Amino acid sequence: MKAVRFHEHGGPEVLRYEDVPDPTPKATQVKLRVKGVALNHLDIWLRKGLPGVKVPLPKIGGCDIAGEVAAVGESCTRLKAGERIMVSPGWTCGQCAACLRGEDNLCRSYQIIGGYGMDGGCAEFVCVPEVNCIPIPERLDYPAAAAVPLTFLTAWNMLVRQARLKAGEDVLVMGAGSGVGTAAMQIAKLYGARVIAVASADDKLAKAADLGADAGINYAKQDLGQEIRRLTGKRGVDVVFEHVGGAAWEKLIPNIAPGGRLVTCGATAGYDAKVDIRYLFSKSIAVLGAFMGCKVDLLEVVRYMAEGKLRPVVDRTLPLSECARAHRLIEDRAQFGKIVLLP
């Protein structure tokens, strides 16, 4: 089969579109014919390499996968050939206390399919555990289905489980043009919140408005803190949805309302954030971290997808052979929503 692999860390040029052996499913696995694989910033970090994190090489990335069942392992009982499937990206032991209480994203054995351990979906075929396979709603095609799992699962965990979002609250969504940002805006509106989108370009803010954003801030032209105060009558926002990191925290923390929350899942602009802790205790502000989400929450997301109350946002599709180009587009922040590769 054809797949995209990297044999060393580096820039997009290390990605090779090449022939590799077809995978064979284990007893509890399903072999999928990949019909769409959406990229994430995790794919960029894997390719570049992170200090202290060992990635088995050569590596096939791709965490957000949709495809057709091609074969099933001998112990599989739920699925059959020909079914349309999206893949829940988190693999866990299924036996520890965290897994058994439904907080499987806290499992100490947690892996992301296509992440640092298991190979992913940037290939014509991939084998995944049957337990990770979710039927695709009829209203979604394969590229749309591939754009769902990681971003919507993460955004749901951040807003619903961690921040405990309530109707009527003001939510500031950083990086509104990203995959996770487009998911967050829709989930916040689903819960009856007022959404303030933050992006670096007016065209992205216009698209955010089409997704339901009530207001927008172009941080490349406007002062983030001043605009938050203006839009909230100097009160500040109740929830900051954050995955950027870096210097933004200095402007965000002072502009959170009393009792507000900042929830973060990433640091694409840098790991070091400066925080004046006086704001935290004087205004009872909570800073929350979120990593992926529980499988059961993805089932809830898919239910809303089936009802048309949430929808994946696909910026564009590209052939799998153009994976390097897709990486460059993501690094340049040239997309709104997800870029999906088609094997």
Side-chain angles (χ1 to χ4, degrees):
M1 69 173 183
K2 289 292 188 181
V4 173
R5 301 194 297 184
F6 56 90
H7 297 249
E8 60 184 342
H9 296 293
E13 69 276 0
V14 303
L15 296 168
R16 300 185 194 173
Y17 182 64
E18 58 190 7
D19 291 308
V20 302
D22 278 24
T24 301
K26 298 177 182 177
T28 57
Q29 289 184 328
V30 170
K31 181 178 180 179
L32 293 181
R33 179 176 290 104
V34 179
K35 297 290 190 176
V37 54
L39 296 182
N40 297 279
H41 271 284
L42 177 57
D43 295 289
I44 308 299
W45 297 329
L46 283 170
R47 189 205 74 224
K48 288 182 174 180
L50 290 171
V53 178
K54 186 174 179 59
V55 178
L57 298 176
K59 173 70 181 176
I60 301 174
C63 311
D64 276 332
I65 307 164
E68 178 185 84
V69 176
V72 299
E74 59 187 20
S75 297
C76 296
T77 58
R78 183 166 57 90
L79 299 174
K80 61 181 182 297
E83 293 192 62
R84 298 190 329 134
I85 294 298
M86 72 172 72
V87 178
S88 177
W91 182 88
T92 65
C93 74
Q95 302 179 68
C96 68
C99 286
L100 294 175
R101 66 173 177 260
E103 296 177 333
D104 41 283
N105 60 316
L106 302 182
C107 174
R108 292 186 66 183
S109 300
Y110 194 96
Q111 292 186 45
I112 299 175
I113 296 170
Y116 297 106
M118 305 169 68
D119 276 338
C122 285
E124 291 180 316
F125 294 95
V126 65
C127 291
V128 299
E130 184 184 37
V131 70
N132 286 73
C133 295
I134 299 174
I136 297 173
E138 289 185 8
R139 69 170 57 240
L140 299 185
D141 60 14
Y142 283 115
V148 172
L150 194 148
T151 49
F152 274 89
L153 179 60
T154 300
W156 188 278
N157 183 28
M158 291 172 71
L159 291 175
V160 179
R161 283 193 178 262
Q162 301 299 322
R164 300 184 183 277
L165 182 63
K166 297 185 288 290
E169 291 191 311
D170 286 339
V171 179
L172 186 82
V173 177
M174 298 293 291
S178 66
V180 74
T182 59
M185 289 187 289
Q186 294 182 66
I187 293 169
K189 294 303 295 183
L190 183 69
Y191 270 71
R194 176 181 180 236
V195 172
I196 302 172
V198 180
S200 61
D202 290 337
D203 64 325
K204 290 186 177 182
L205 293 177
K207 292 176 181 178
D210 290 339
L211 284 179
D214 301 280
I217 300 172
N218 183 335
Y219 70 82
K221 298 179 179 178
Q222 300 169 295
D223 182 274
L224 181 59
Q226 288 181 3
E227 287 302 301
I228 294 173
R229 291 190 291 275
R230 181 182 69 82
L231 291 168
T232 62
K234 299 183 179 180
R235 176 178 172 272
V237 292
D238 299 289
V239 175
V240 173
F241 181 94
E242 213 286 308
H243 54 104
V244 178
W249 282 47
E250 285 190 74
K251 289 187 178 289
L252 292 173
I253 296 293
N255 290 293
I256 297 176
R261 294 85 75 200
L262 182 149
V263 59
T264 181
C265 71
T268 55
Y271 303 125
D272 294 326
K274 186 176 179 180
V275 176
D276 185 337
I277 63 172
R278 292 173 295 181
Y279 288 106
L280 302 186
F281 62 74
S282 65
K283 296 170 71 176
S284 296
I285 291 171
V287 176
L288 305 162
F291 175 68
M292 298 295 287
C294 310
K295 284 189 182 76
V296 68
D297 289 343
L298 187 52
L299 296 179
E300 186 80 349
V301 165
V302 171
R303 181 174 69 82
Y304 282 116
M305 292 279 175
E307 295 173 356
K309 295 178 180 178
L310 295 173
R311 65 179 179 89
V313 178
V314 177
D315 178 82
R316 72 190 77 184
T317 61
L318 294 172
L320 180 61
S321 59
E322 295 188 27
C323 186
R325 178 189 170 198
H327 276 234
R328 292 187 181 95
L329 289 167
I330 293 172
E331 288 187 283
D332 292 340
R333 290 180 288 183
Q335 90 286 359
F336 185 87
K338 304 286 282 183
I339 296 177
V340 180
L341 300 176
L342 306 178

